[in-house]
Amino acid sequence: MREYKSEDIRNIAVVGHGASGKTTLVDALAFVSGSSKRHGTVKDGTALTDFDPEETQRGFSISLACAHAEWMDTKINLLDTPGYSDFQGEAIAGLHAADGALVVVSATAGVEVGTKRMFDEAIERKDPVLFVASMMDKEHASFEGVFESIKSELKPRVIPVEVPIGEGADFHGILNLFDRKAHLFKKGTRSGEYEEVDVPAENQALFDKYYEQLIESIAATDDRLLERYLEGEEISREDALGAMKEAMKRMEMFPLFCSSALPARIVPCPTSPRSNASAGSTDRAALGAP
Ligand SMILES: Nc1nc2c(ncn2[C@@H]2O[C@H](COP(=O)(O)OP(=O)(O)OP(=O)(O)O)[C@@H](O)[C@H]2O)c(=O)[nH]1
Ligand SMILES: [Mg+2]
């Protein structure tokens, strides 16, 4: 591993309710970034951050543990924390050690008691927060449900920066709002591999709806951008990302991503290129933002 200057290192606490998918997501992020050669699972006892024999036996996290992902010349230390309230002290210690929090919310359960507790802790510490709707491949997964549940129960200015294409067994890609592209997961390849294409016609309306919301929300955090936006000027990707980073630091914006983090399985699908279990994309710049 190369050496990093301190300004190129981010410490992110991965927090949330028990069994929301934190350990699985951390493993996937380390694997997809190339920092880990193996894509492990909690079920098989091979997840990077659940290495303690008691954890592998019980199938949930007990202690704070760290993995890392190297991404765009930044080393991101991912502090995987336990979600169960018995081990809450470890999760809070993780937040104390971190520069920001990644709050994992299950796409089938939405905001739960542990989500709220950890979100409140992060807010109290004035840490930038981003959300990930996990387990998008599961039956009854609902991205809109997670979005609404965060908005109503945590009341932050949460805003999707990527949107799933399909849900549950049909989850096969994401719309990357900043890049204005679709990422379609490649079938039968290692997790996280995708093909970048123009937004498919059948997803254009969905893209337009979320893109408009994103740009409007970002513009509302910056007077100069707002003026340009109201005059009908196009806001560039760089300007939008820059303003969002600043708004995140001021805790005025909370981006929402989505993922499915189990190792890829080959799922026969005659109509669309997909793997129903690929790690969701996380916008590079935004991931490095906090
Ligand atoms: N289908 C599906 N299952 C998932 C996904 N992520 C996690 N799971 C499963 O959900 C269960 C909980 O996942 P974990 O990663 O252990 O969740 P956690 O948040 O670390 O749990 P605690 O450490 O107990 O707080 C495991 O059985 C995982 O295999 C996903 O993206 N898709
Ligand atoms: Mg865990």
Side-chain angles (χ1 to χ4, degrees), residues 13-17 22 81-85 87-93 95 101-104 112-125 127 129 154:
V14 181
V15 296
H17 193 78
K22 301 178 289 298
T81 69
Y84 287 105
S85 53
F87 315 115
Q88 194 181 316
E90 293 278 314
I92 292 171
L95 281 171
L102 186 165
V103 179
V104 178
E112 299 172 89
V113 180
T115 327
K116 181 160 175 32
R117 191 181 303 128
M118 286 304 131
F119 177 74
D120 289 346
E121 282 285 341
I123 293 296
E124 203 165 293
R125 291 188 45 76
D127 281 339
V129 174
L154 303 179

PDB file of all heavy atoms in Angstrom, residues 13-17 22 81-85 87-93 95 101-104 112-125 127 129 154:
ATOM      1  N   ALA A  13     -16.891   6.650   9.798  1.00  0.00           N
ATOM      2  CA  ALA A  13     -17.559   5.658  10.646  1.00  0.00           C
ATOM      3  C   ALA A  13     -18.794   5.148   9.914  1.00  0.00           C
ATOM      4  O   ALA A  13     -19.625   5.940   9.459  1.00  0.00           O
ATOM      5  CB  ALA A  13     -17.961   6.288  11.979  1.00  0.00           C
ATOM      6  N   VAL A  14     -18.879   3.833   9.769  1.00  0.00           N
ATOM      7  CA  VAL A  14     -20.038   3.220   9.107  1.00  0.00           C
ATOM      8  C   VAL A  14     -20.989   2.771  10.215  1.00  0.00           C
ATOM      9  O   VAL A  14     -20.674   1.862  10.986  1.00  0.00           O
ATOM     10  CB  VAL A  14     -19.587   2.035   8.221  1.00  0.00           C
ATOM     11  CG1 VAL A  14     -20.781   1.412   7.509  1.00  0.00           C
ATOM     12  CG2 VAL A  14     -18.536   2.498   7.220  1.00  0.00           C
ATOM     13  N   VAL A  15     -22.101   3.470  10.321  1.00  0.00           N
ATOM     14  CA  VAL A  15     -23.005   3.268  11.462  1.00  0.00           C
ATOM     15  C   VAL A  15     -24.429   2.960  10.988  1.00  0.00           C
ATOM     16  O   VAL A  15     -24.764   3.183   9.821  1.00  0.00           O
ATOM     17  CB  VAL A  15     -23.027   4.528  12.385  1.00  0.00           C
ATOM     18  CG1 VAL A  15     -21.666   4.766  13.022  1.00  0.00           C
ATOM     19  CG2 VAL A  15     -23.494   5.761  11.629  1.00  0.00           C
ATOM     20  N   GLY A  16     -25.239   2.485  11.920  1.00  0.00           N
ATOM     21  CA  GLY A  16     -26.639   2.224  11.571  1.00  0.00           C
ATOM     22  C   GLY A  16     -27.237   1.167  12.478  1.00  0.00           C
ATOM     23  O   GLY A  16     -26.576   0.675  13.399  1.00  0.00           O
ATOM     24  N   HIS A  17     -28.461   0.826  12.207  1.00  0.00           N
ATOM     25  CA  HIS A  17     -29.174  -0.180  12.996  1.00  0.00           C
ATOM     26  C   HIS A  17     -28.516  -1.557  12.797  1.00  0.00           C
ATOM     27  O   HIS A  17     -27.849  -1.773  11.780  1.00  0.00           O
ATOM     28  CB  HIS A  17     -30.631  -0.219  12.534  1.00  0.00           C
ATOM     29  CG  HIS A  17     -31.527  -0.975  13.444  1.00  0.00           C
ATOM     30  ND1 HIS A  17     -31.982  -0.433  14.622  1.00  0.00           N
ATOM     31  CD2 HIS A  17     -32.041  -2.230  13.359  1.00  0.00           C
ATOM     32  CE1 HIS A  17     -32.754  -1.324  15.231  1.00  0.00           C
ATOM     33  NE2 HIS A  17     -32.802  -2.418  14.476  1.00  0.00           N
ATOM     34  N   LYS A  22     -23.923  -3.031   7.257  1.00  0.00           N
ATOM     35  CA  LYS A  22     -22.685  -2.230   7.379  1.00  0.00           C
ATOM     36  C   LYS A  22     -21.431  -3.049   7.051  1.00  0.00           C
ATOM     37  O   LYS A  22     -20.609  -2.646   6.238  1.00  0.00           O
ATOM     38  CB  LYS A  22     -22.566  -1.657   8.808  1.00  0.00           C
ATOM     39  CG  LYS A  22     -23.735  -0.776   9.216  1.00  0.00           C
ATOM     40  CD  LYS A  22     -23.609  -0.280  10.632  1.00  0.00           C
ATOM     41  CE  LYS A  22     -23.808  -1.360  11.670  1.00  0.00           C
ATOM     42  NZ  LYS A  22     -25.153  -1.992  11.655  1.00  0.00           N
ATOM     43  N   THR A  81     -18.875  -0.431  12.518  1.00  0.00           N
ATOM     44  CA  THR A  81     -19.316  -0.407  13.918  1.00  0.00           C
ATOM     45  C   THR A  81     -20.473  -1.388  14.130  1.00  0.00           C
ATOM     46  O   THR A  81     -21.238  -1.662  13.199  1.00  0.00           O
ATOM     47  CB  THR A  81     -19.801   1.007  14.322  1.00  0.00           C
ATOM     48  OG1 THR A  81     -21.022   1.287  13.617  1.00  0.00           O
ATOM     49  CG2 THR A  81     -18.765   2.072  14.007  1.00  0.00           C
ATOM     50  N   PRO A  82     -20.620  -1.906  15.343  1.00  0.00           N
ATOM     51  CA  PRO A  82     -21.759  -2.788  15.608  1.00  0.00           C
ATOM     52  C   PRO A  82     -23.058  -1.993  15.680  1.00  0.00           C
ATOM     53  O   PRO A  82     -23.063  -0.852  16.153  1.00  0.00           O
ATOM     54  CB  PRO A  82     -21.442  -3.402  16.982  1.00  0.00           C
ATOM     55  CG  PRO A  82     -20.149  -2.834  17.438  1.00  0.00           C
ATOM     56  CD  PRO A  82     -19.773  -1.705  16.539  1.00  0.00           C
ATOM     57  N   GLY A  83     -24.149  -2.615  15.244  1.00  0.00           N
ATOM     58  CA  GLY A  83     -25.431  -1.909  15.257  1.00  0.00           C
ATOM     59  C   GLY A  83     -26.277  -2.206  16.480  1.00  0.00           C
ATOM     60  O   GLY A  83     -27.161  -1.428  16.826  1.00  0.00           O
ATOM     61  N   TYR A  84     -26.017  -3.335  17.119  1.00  0.00           N
ATOM     62  CA  TYR A  84     -26.866  -3.690  18.260  1.00  0.00           C
ATOM     63  C   TYR A  84     -26.576  -2.811  19.466  1.00  0.00           C
ATOM     64  O   TYR A  84     -25.428  -2.467  19.734  1.00  0.00           O
ATOM     65  CB  TYR A  84     -26.712  -5.183  18.589  1.00  0.00           C
ATOM     66  CG  TYR A  84     -27.397  -6.015  17.535  1.00  0.00           C
ATOM     67  CD1 TYR A  84     -26.664  -6.703  16.578  1.00  0.00           C
ATOM     68  CD2 TYR A  84     -28.783  -6.048  17.461  1.00  0.00           C
ATOM     69  CE1 TYR A  84     -27.297  -7.416  15.577  1.00  0.00           C
ATOM     70  CE2 TYR A  84     -29.418  -6.762  16.465  1.00  0.00           C
ATOM     71  CZ  TYR A  84     -28.678  -7.440  15.530  1.00  0.00           C
ATOM     72  OH  TYR A  84     -29.309  -8.137  14.526  1.00  0.00           O
ATOM     73  N   SER A  85     -27.644  -2.466  20.180  1.00  0.00           N
ATOM     74  CA  SER A  85     -27.517  -1.466  21.242  1.00  0.00           C
ATOM     75  C   SER A  85     -26.591  -1.921  22.372  1.00  0.00           C
ATOM     76  O   SER A  85     -25.955  -1.096  23.017  1.00  0.00           O
ATOM     77  CB  SER A  85     -28.895  -1.098  21.800  1.00  0.00           C
ATOM     78  OG  SER A  85     -29.562  -2.259  22.179  1.00  0.00           O
ATOM     79  N   PHE A  87     -23.770  -3.011  22.109  1.00  0.00           N
ATOM     80  CA  PHE A  87     -22.389  -2.637  21.770  1.00  0.00           C
ATOM     81  C   PHE A  87     -22.299  -1.191  21.285  1.00  0.00           C
ATOM     82  O   PHE A  87     -21.389  -0.807  20.556  1.00  0.00           O
ATOM     83  CB  PHE A  87     -21.835  -3.591  20.695  1.00  0.00           C
ATOM     84  CG  PHE A  87     -22.144  -5.026  20.972  1.00  0.00           C
ATOM     85  CD1 PHE A  87     -22.976  -5.748  20.135  1.00  0.00           C
ATOM     86  CD2 PHE A  87     -21.625  -5.651  22.099  1.00  0.00           C
ATOM     87  CE1 PHE A  87     -23.293  -7.074  20.404  1.00  0.00           C
ATOM     88  CE2 PHE A  87     -21.933  -6.977  22.376  1.00  0.00           C
ATOM     89  CZ  PHE A  87     -22.766  -7.688  21.528  1.00  0.00           C
ATOM     90  N   GLN A  88     -23.256  -0.416  21.696  1.00  0.00           N
ATOM     91  CA  GLN A  88     -23.371   0.976  21.241  1.00  0.00           C
ATOM     92  C   GLN A  88     -22.112   1.812  21.523  1.00  0.00           C
ATOM     93  O   GLN A  88     -21.736   2.669  20.749  1.00  0.00           O
ATOM     94  CB  GLN A  88     -24.555   1.595  21.970  1.00  0.00           C
ATOM     95  CG  GLN A  88     -25.020   2.894  21.407  1.00  0.00           C
ATOM     96  CD  GLN A  88     -26.190   3.404  22.241  1.00  0.00           C
ATOM     97  OE1 GLN A  88     -27.081   2.641  22.577  1.00  0.00           O
ATOM     98  NE2 GLN A  88     -26.175   4.664  22.575  1.00  0.00           N
ATOM     99  N   GLY A  89     -21.463   1.501  22.658  1.00  0.00           N
ATOM    100  CA  GLY A  89     -20.250   2.241  23.035  1.00  0.00           C
ATOM    101  C   GLY A  89     -19.194   2.162  21.945  1.00  0.00           C
ATOM    102  O   GLY A  89     -18.498   3.147  21.662  1.00  0.00           O
ATOM    103  N   GLU A  90     -19.081   0.992  21.307  1.00  0.00           N
ATOM    104  CA  GLU A  90     -18.096   0.802  20.241  1.00  0.00           C
ATOM    105  C   GLU A  90     -18.444   1.691  19.035  1.00  0.00           C
ATOM    106  O   GLU A  90     -17.584   2.263  18.399  1.00  0.00           O
ATOM    107  CB  GLU A  90     -18.091  -0.658  19.783  1.00  0.00           C
ATOM    108  CG  GLU A  90     -17.594  -1.622  20.810  1.00  0.00           C
ATOM    109  CD  GLU A  90     -16.072  -1.713  20.858  1.00  0.00           C
ATOM    110  OE1 GLU A  90     -15.453  -1.812  19.799  1.00  0.00           O
ATOM    111  OE2 GLU A  90     -15.524  -1.667  21.973  1.00  0.00           O
ATOM    112  N   ALA A  91     -19.745   1.781  18.758  1.00  0.00           N
ATOM    113  CA  ALA A  91     -20.177   2.591  17.608  1.00  0.00           C
ATOM    114  C   ALA A  91     -19.910   4.073  17.877  1.00  0.00           C
ATOM    115  O   ALA A  91     -19.454   4.805  16.997  1.00  0.00           O
ATOM    116  CB  ALA A  91     -21.656   2.349  17.329  1.00  0.00           C
ATOM    117  N   ILE A  92     -20.147   4.485  19.088  1.00  0.00           N
ATOM    118  CA  ILE A  92     -19.911   5.891  19.423  1.00  0.00           C
ATOM    119  C   ILE A  92     -18.400   6.188  19.380  1.00  0.00           C
ATOM    120  O   ILE A  92     -17.975   7.229  18.880  1.00  0.00           O
ATOM    121  CB  ILE A  92     -20.548   6.234  20.792  1.00  0.00           C
ATOM    122  CG1 ILE A  92     -22.077   6.163  20.624  1.00  0.00           C
ATOM    123  CG2 ILE A  92     -20.118   7.608  21.291  1.00  0.00           C
ATOM    124  CD1 ILE A  92     -22.869   6.259  21.888  1.00  0.00           C
ATOM    125  N   ALA A  93     -17.599   5.216  19.840  1.00  0.00           N
ATOM    126  CA  ALA A  93     -16.135   5.381  19.755  1.00  0.00           C
ATOM    127  C   ALA A  93     -15.729   5.549  18.289  1.00  0.00           C
ATOM    128  O   ALA A  93     -14.846   6.352  17.962  1.00  0.00           O
ATOM    129  CB  ALA A  93     -15.444   4.173  20.372  1.00  0.00           C
ATOM    130  N   LEU A  95     -17.514   6.861  15.875  1.00  0.00           N
ATOM    131  CA  LEU A  95     -17.872   8.224  15.445  1.00  0.00           C
ATOM    132  C   LEU A  95     -16.857   9.240  15.970  1.00  0.00           C
ATOM    133  O   LEU A  95     -16.478  10.175  15.270  1.00  0.00           O
ATOM    134  CB  LEU A  95     -19.267   8.590  15.946  1.00  0.00           C
ATOM    135  CG  LEU A  95     -20.442   8.024  15.149  1.00  0.00           C
ATOM    136  CD1 LEU A  95     -21.755   8.285  15.869  1.00  0.00           C
ATOM    137  CD2 LEU A  95     -20.486   8.623  13.741  1.00  0.00           C
ATOM    138  N   ALA A 101     -19.660  10.459   8.936  1.00  0.00           N
ATOM    139  CA  ALA A 101     -20.409   9.221   9.155  1.00  0.00           C
ATOM    140  C   ALA A 101     -21.118   8.782   7.883  1.00  0.00           C
ATOM    141  O   ALA A 101     -21.667   9.615   7.150  1.00  0.00           O
ATOM    142  CB  ALA A 101     -21.440   9.425  10.265  1.00  0.00           C
ATOM    143  N   LEU A 102     -21.059   7.478   7.634  1.00  0.00           N
ATOM    144  CA  LEU A 102     -21.839   6.879   6.553  1.00  0.00           C
ATOM    145  C   LEU A 102     -22.933   6.077   7.255  1.00  0.00           C
ATOM    146  O   LEU A 102     -22.639   5.105   7.942  1.00  0.00           O
ATOM    147  CB  LEU A 102     -20.918   5.985   5.722  1.00  0.00           C
ATOM    148  CG  LEU A 102     -21.428   5.328   4.444  1.00  0.00           C
ATOM    149  CD1 LEU A 102     -20.239   4.818   3.625  1.00  0.00           C
ATOM    150  CD2 LEU A 102     -22.386   4.203   4.695  1.00  0.00           C
ATOM    151  N   VAL A 103     -24.162   6.541   7.126  1.00  0.00           N
ATOM    152  CA  VAL A 103     -25.272   5.898   7.830  1.00  0.00           C
ATOM    153  C   VAL A 103     -25.961   4.925   6.872  1.00  0.00           C
ATOM    154  O   VAL A 103     -26.465   5.333   5.819  1.00  0.00           O
ATOM    155  CB  VAL A 103     -26.288   6.948   8.350  1.00  0.00           C
ATOM    156  CG1 VAL A 103     -27.441   6.253   9.065  1.00  0.00           C
ATOM    157  CG2 VAL A 103     -25.609   7.946   9.280  1.00  0.00           C
ATOM    158  N   VAL A 104     -25.919   3.652   7.244  1.00  0.00           N
ATOM    159  CA  VAL A 104     -26.499   2.615   6.383  1.00  0.00           C
ATOM    160  C   VAL A 104     -27.960   2.385   6.802  1.00  0.00           C
ATOM    161  O   VAL A 104     -28.250   2.170   7.979  1.00  0.00           O
ATOM    162  CB  VAL A 104     -25.693   1.298   6.508  1.00  0.00           C
ATOM    163  CG1 VAL A 104     -26.312   0.207   5.649  1.00  0.00           C
ATOM    164  CG2 VAL A 104     -24.242   1.526   6.107  1.00  0.00           C
ATOM    165  N   GLU A 112     -34.600   2.955  11.384  1.00  0.00           N
ATOM    166  CA  GLU A 112     -34.936   2.177  12.583  1.00  0.00           C
ATOM    167  C   GLU A 112     -34.352   2.884  13.800  1.00  0.00           C
ATOM    168  O   GLU A 112     -33.671   3.921  13.671  1.00  0.00           O
ATOM    169  CB  GLU A 112     -34.377   0.755  12.443  1.00  0.00           C
ATOM    170  CG  GLU A 112     -34.966   0.010  11.244  1.00  0.00           C
ATOM    171  CD  GLU A 112     -34.277  -1.318  10.972  1.00  0.00           C
ATOM    172  OE1 GLU A 112     -34.695  -2.334  11.522  1.00  0.00           O
ATOM    173  OE2 GLU A 112     -33.307  -1.316  10.185  1.00  0.00           O
ATOM    174  N   VAL A 113     -34.592   2.292  14.988  1.00  0.00           N
ATOM    175  CA  VAL A 113     -34.141   2.950  16.220  1.00  0.00           C
ATOM    176  C   VAL A 113     -32.634   3.243  16.197  1.00  0.00           C
ATOM    177  O   VAL A 113     -32.187   4.340  16.526  1.00  0.00           O
ATOM    178  CB  VAL A 113     -34.449   2.042  17.443  1.00  0.00           C
ATOM    179  CG1 VAL A 113     -33.994   2.688  18.733  1.00  0.00           C
ATOM    180  CG2 VAL A 113     -35.919   1.730  17.512  1.00  0.00           C
ATOM    181  N   GLY A 114     -31.857   2.219  15.770  1.00  0.00           N
ATOM    182  CA  GLY A 114     -30.394   2.376  15.746  1.00  0.00           C
ATOM    183  C   GLY A 114     -29.943   3.410  14.726  1.00  0.00           C
ATOM    184  O   GLY A 114     -28.910   4.067  14.908  1.00  0.00           O
ATOM    185  N   THR A 115     -30.704   3.557  13.641  1.00  0.00           N
ATOM    186  CA  THR A 115     -30.344   4.559  12.617  1.00  0.00           C
ATOM    187  C   THR A 115     -30.439   5.940  13.248  1.00  0.00           C
ATOM    188  O   THR A 115     -29.538   6.776  13.110  1.00  0.00           O
ATOM    189  CB  THR A 115     -31.362   4.530  11.433  1.00  0.00           C
ATOM    190  OG1 THR A 115     -31.834   3.231  11.220  1.00  0.00           O
ATOM    191  CG2 THR A 115     -30.750   5.115  10.192  1.00  0.00           C
ATOM    192  N   LYS A 116     -31.540   6.153  13.941  1.00  0.00           N
ATOM    193  CA  LYS A 116     -31.794   7.481  14.520  1.00  0.00           C
ATOM    194  C   LYS A 116     -30.759   7.804  15.598  1.00  0.00           C
ATOM    195  O   LYS A 116     -30.218   8.906  15.646  1.00  0.00           O
ATOM    196  CB  LYS A 116     -33.214   7.515  15.104  1.00  0.00           C
ATOM    197  CG  LYS A 116     -33.561   8.856  15.698  1.00  0.00           C
ATOM    198  CD  LYS A 116     -35.041   9.058  15.820  1.00  0.00           C
ATOM    199  CE  LYS A 116     -35.399  10.359  16.534  1.00  0.00           C
ATOM    200  NZ  LYS A 116     -34.501  11.472  16.354  1.00  0.00           N
ATOM    201  N   ARG A 117     -30.473   6.778  16.422  1.00  0.00           N
ATOM    202  CA  ARG A 117     -29.522   7.005  17.507  1.00  0.00           C
ATOM    203  C   ARG A 117     -28.162   7.425  16.950  1.00  0.00           C
ATOM    204  O   ARG A 117     -27.545   8.383  17.416  1.00  0.00           O
ATOM    205  CB  ARG A 117     -29.384   5.723  18.329  1.00  0.00           C
ATOM    206  CG  ARG A 117     -28.631   5.923  19.630  1.00  0.00           C
ATOM    207  CD  ARG A 117     -28.484   4.633  20.401  1.00  0.00           C
ATOM    208  NE  ARG A 117     -29.753   4.002  20.707  1.00  0.00           N
ATOM    209  CZ  ARG A 117     -30.041   2.726  20.433  1.00  0.00           C
ATOM    210  NH1 ARG A 117     -29.160   1.955  19.842  1.00  0.00           N
ATOM    211  NH2 ARG A 117     -31.213   2.216  20.746  1.00  0.00           N
ATOM    212  N   MET A 118     -27.700   6.723  15.925  1.00  0.00           N
ATOM    213  CA  MET A 118     -26.377   7.023  15.369  1.00  0.00           C
ATOM    214  C   MET A 118     -26.373   8.334  14.576  1.00  0.00           C
ATOM    215  O   MET A 118     -25.414   9.085  14.604  1.00  0.00           O
ATOM    216  CB  MET A 118     -25.909   5.854  14.487  1.00  0.00           C
ATOM    217  CG  MET A 118     -25.493   4.674  15.295  1.00  0.00           C
ATOM    218  SD  MET A 118     -24.186   5.137  16.493  1.00  0.00           S
ATOM    219  CE  MET A 118     -24.817   4.434  17.975  1.00  0.00           C
ATOM    220  N   PHE A 119     -27.476   8.602  13.895  1.00  0.00           N
ATOM    221  CA  PHE A 119     -27.570   9.866  13.164  1.00  0.00           C
ATOM    222  C   PHE A 119     -27.499  11.039  14.150  1.00  0.00           C
ATOM    223  O   PHE A 119     -26.753  11.999  13.948  1.00  0.00           O
ATOM    224  CB  PHE A 119     -28.870   9.920  12.354  1.00  0.00           C
ATOM    225  CG  PHE A 119     -29.064  11.229  11.642  1.00  0.00           C
ATOM    226  CD1 PHE A 119     -28.319  11.526  10.513  1.00  0.00           C
ATOM    227  CD2 PHE A 119     -29.958  12.163  12.119  1.00  0.00           C
ATOM    228  CE1 PHE A 119     -28.466  12.749   9.868  1.00  0.00           C
ATOM    229  CE2 PHE A 119     -30.118  13.384  11.482  1.00  0.00           C
ATOM    230  CZ  PHE A 119     -29.375  13.668  10.354  1.00  0.00           C
ATOM    231  N   ASP A 120     -28.243  10.923  15.246  1.00  0.00           N
ATOM    232  CA  ASP A 120     -28.241  11.995  16.252  1.00  0.00           C
ATOM    233  C   ASP A 120     -26.844  12.200  16.846  1.00  0.00           C
ATOM    234  O   ASP A 120     -26.407  13.332  17.056  1.00  0.00           O
ATOM    235  CB  ASP A 120     -29.230  11.671  17.385  1.00  0.00           C
ATOM    236  CG  ASP A 120     -30.680  11.778  16.920  1.00  0.00           C
ATOM    237  OD1 ASP A 120     -30.902  12.342  15.838  1.00  0.00           O
ATOM    238  OD2 ASP A 120     -31.580  11.292  17.636  1.00  0.00           O
ATOM    239  N   GLU A 121     -26.141  11.085  17.088  1.00  0.00           N
ATOM    240  CA  GLU A 121     -24.763  11.182  17.615  1.00  0.00           C
ATOM    241  C   GLU A 121     -23.869  11.926  16.629  1.00  0.00           C
ATOM    242  O   GLU A 121     -23.082  12.789  17.011  1.00  0.00           O
ATOM    243  CB  GLU A 121     -24.163   9.780  17.824  1.00  0.00           C
ATOM    244  CG  GLU A 121     -24.640   9.068  19.053  1.00  0.00           C
ATOM    245  CD  GLU A 121     -24.035   9.603  20.352  1.00  0.00           C
ATOM    246  OE1 GLU A 121     -22.989  10.274  20.296  1.00  0.00           O
ATOM    247  OE2 GLU A 121     -24.639   9.354  21.407  1.00  0.00           O
ATOM    248  N   ALA A 122     -23.989  11.570  15.361  1.00  0.00           N
ATOM    249  CA  ALA A 122     -23.144  12.203  14.334  1.00  0.00           C
ATOM    250  C   ALA A 122     -23.447  13.693  14.244  1.00  0.00           C
ATOM    251  O   ALA A 122     -22.544  14.529  14.138  1.00  0.00           O
ATOM    252  CB  ALA A 122     -23.367  11.522  12.982  1.00  0.00           C
ATOM    253  N   ILE A 123     -24.726  14.033  14.312  1.00  0.00           N
ATOM    254  CA  ILE A 123     -25.133  15.434  14.227  1.00  0.00           C
ATOM    255  C   ILE A 123     -24.595  16.210  15.434  1.00  0.00           C
ATOM    256  O   ILE A 123     -24.091  17.330  15.311  1.00  0.00           O
ATOM    257  CB  ILE A 123     -26.680  15.537  14.165  1.00  0.00           C
ATOM    258  CG1 ILE A 123     -27.188  14.962  12.856  1.00  0.00           C
ATOM    259  CG2 ILE A 123     -27.160  16.972  14.359  1.00  0.00           C
ATOM    260  CD1 ILE A 123     -26.746  15.711  11.629  1.00  0.00           C
ATOM    261  N   GLU A 124     -24.677  15.574  16.583  1.00  0.00           N
ATOM    262  CA  GLU A 124     -24.180  16.232  17.800  1.00  0.00           C
ATOM    263  C   GLU A 124     -22.686  16.528  17.678  1.00  0.00           C
ATOM    264  O   GLU A 124     -22.190  17.541  18.147  1.00  0.00           O
ATOM    265  CB  GLU A 124     -24.421  15.300  18.990  1.00  0.00           C
ATOM    266  CG  GLU A 124     -24.486  16.040  20.307  1.00  0.00           C
ATOM    267  CD  GLU A 124     -25.082  15.143  21.371  1.00  0.00           C
ATOM    268  OE1 GLU A 124     -26.273  14.810  21.267  1.00  0.00           O
ATOM    269  OE2 GLU A 124     -24.334  14.769  22.272  1.00  0.00           O
ATOM    270  N   ARG A 125     -21.983  15.611  16.999  1.00  0.00           N
ATOM    271  CA  ARG A 125     -20.539  15.813  16.825  1.00  0.00           C
ATOM    272  C   ARG A 125     -20.236  16.755  15.656  1.00  0.00           C
ATOM    273  O   ARG A 125     -19.100  17.005  15.345  1.00  0.00           O
ATOM    274  CB  ARG A 125     -19.869  14.463  16.559  1.00  0.00           C
ATOM    275  CG  ARG A 125     -19.857  13.531  17.737  1.00  0.00           C
ATOM    276  CD  ARG A 125     -19.002  12.312  17.408  1.00  0.00           C
ATOM    277  NE  ARG A 125     -17.750  12.694  16.762  1.00  0.00           N
ATOM    278  CZ  ARG A 125     -16.711  13.223  17.391  1.00  0.00           C
ATOM    279  NH1 ARG A 125     -16.745  13.397  18.679  1.00  0.00           N
ATOM    280  NH2 ARG A 125     -15.624  13.549  16.722  1.00  0.00           N
ATOM    281  N   ASP A 127     -20.567  16.138  12.509  1.00  0.00           N
ATOM    282  CA  ASP A 127     -19.879  15.408  11.436  1.00  0.00           C
ATOM    283  C   ASP A 127     -20.707  15.448  10.156  1.00  0.00           C
ATOM    284  O   ASP A 127     -21.932  15.324  10.217  1.00  0.00           O
ATOM    285  CB  ASP A 127     -19.746  13.921  11.822  1.00  0.00           C
ATOM    286  CG  ASP A 127     -18.597  13.683  12.792  1.00  0.00           C
ATOM    287  OD1 ASP A 127     -17.699  14.532  12.858  1.00  0.00           O
ATOM    288  OD2 ASP A 127     -18.620  12.641  13.464  1.00  0.00           O
ATOM    289  N   VAL A 129     -22.545  13.858   7.140  1.00  0.00           N
ATOM    290  CA  VAL A 129     -23.195  12.542   7.087  1.00  0.00           C
ATOM    291  C   VAL A 129     -23.634  12.247   5.659  1.00  0.00           C
ATOM    292  O   VAL A 129     -24.169  13.123   4.981  1.00  0.00           O
ATOM    293  CB  VAL A 129     -24.459  12.527   7.989  1.00  0.00           C
ATOM    294  CG1 VAL A 129     -25.235  11.221   7.828  1.00  0.00           C
ATOM    295  CG2 VAL A 129     -24.084  12.730   9.461  1.00  0.00           C
ATOM    296  N   LEU A 154     -35.840  11.617  10.266  1.00  0.00           N
ATOM    297  CA  LEU A 154     -34.594  12.253  10.716  1.00  0.00           C
ATOM    298  C   LEU A 154     -34.584  13.733  10.363  1.00  0.00           C
ATOM    299  O   LEU A 154     -33.823  14.493  10.899  1.00  0.00           O
ATOM    300  CB  LEU A 154     -33.379  11.557  10.108  1.00  0.00           C
ATOM    301  CG  LEU A 154     -33.270  10.051  10.384  1.00  0.00           C
ATOM    302  CD1 LEU A 154     -32.030   9.473   9.718  1.00  0.00           C
ATOM    303  CD2 LEU A 154     -33.222   9.757  11.871  1.00  0.00           C
TER     304      LEU A 154
END
